[in-house]
Amino acid sequence: MMKALLLLLSLGFTQQTFNPSGLWEVVDKDTHYRLVRTDTGIHVSLGADHAQFVEYEVDLSWTELNSYEGSGYFVALLGDGRECRFDTEWRIVLADPQRILGVTSRIVPEQEGCGIAERAESALQLNRIRR
């Protein structure tokens, strides 16, 4: 009986939902995102001034418990002064109240213009800074 009770309690804990609203930092990078829970999911934007990103806007929709995916765009300031807009996709899991894991688009711009030379997925880990 005690084992069954512990199993039920542990299942209830793992199925807990977390509110991701707040400021998050990308692990090993100087990038901060502000996440805001919406009626349909999560909105992601820049959380602080950034040397490379001028603007960053992504809307994520709930897919299953603590999992979200969606798309948006960012405007990057390239080394030669160009500002280019690129589409991006995110898939994340709210691992616990302090950590988010996922993948996002990694884009290598063309040498000239605002085309894409290479697009791939990149691992993403965010740690909560504050609510």
Side-chain angles (χ1 to χ4, degrees):
M1 180 70 155
M2 183 58 99
K3 285 183 181 180
L5 181 59
L6 288 173
L7 179 62
L8 286 174
L9 287 173
S10 68
L11 286 174
F13 181 74
T14 60
Q15 302 236 343
Q16 181 179 0
T17 60
F18 304 113
N19 183 350
S21 293
L23 194 60
W24 295 79
E25 180 175 44
V26 178
V27 172
D28 298 330
K29 295 187 180 174
D30 188 27
T31 304
H32 298 86
Y33 294 107
R34 178 160 310 282
L35 276 64
V36 177
R37 178 178 272 171
T38 66
D39 290 340
T40 58
I42 300 171
H43 180 76
V44 179
S45 60
L46 282 177
D49 288 340
H50 191 275
Q52 183 181 5
F53 298 129
V54 175
E55 188 176 356
Y56 208 108
E57 303 292 334
V58 175
D59 287 306
L60 305 172
S61 297
W62 177 82
T63 57
E64 58 185 273
L65 186 67
N66 291 326
S67 297
Y68 297 83
E69 64 182 50
S71 59
Y73 70 93
F74 61 92
V75 177
L77 179 60
L78 304 181
D80 61 3
R82 287 177 289 153
E83 286 188 12
C84 296
R85 180 182 161 140
F86 299 102
D87 292 333
T88 187
E89 296 177 3
W90 281 40
R91 289 190 316 274
I92 62 170
V93 174
L94 308 179
D96 61 54
Q98 301 304 315
R99 189 170 46 121
I100 294 175
L101 304 172
V103 293
T104 185
S105 304
R106 181 179 60 78
I107 295 177
V108 176
E110 291 179 340
Q111 294 291 328
E112 295 181 15
C114 287
I116 298 172
E118 179 183 335
R119 175 186 287 272
E121 287 188 338
S122 181
L124 177 68
Q125 182 176 337
L126 302 172
N127 288 340
R128 184 186 293 275
I129 298 173
R130 64 179 177 270
R131 290 189 186 272

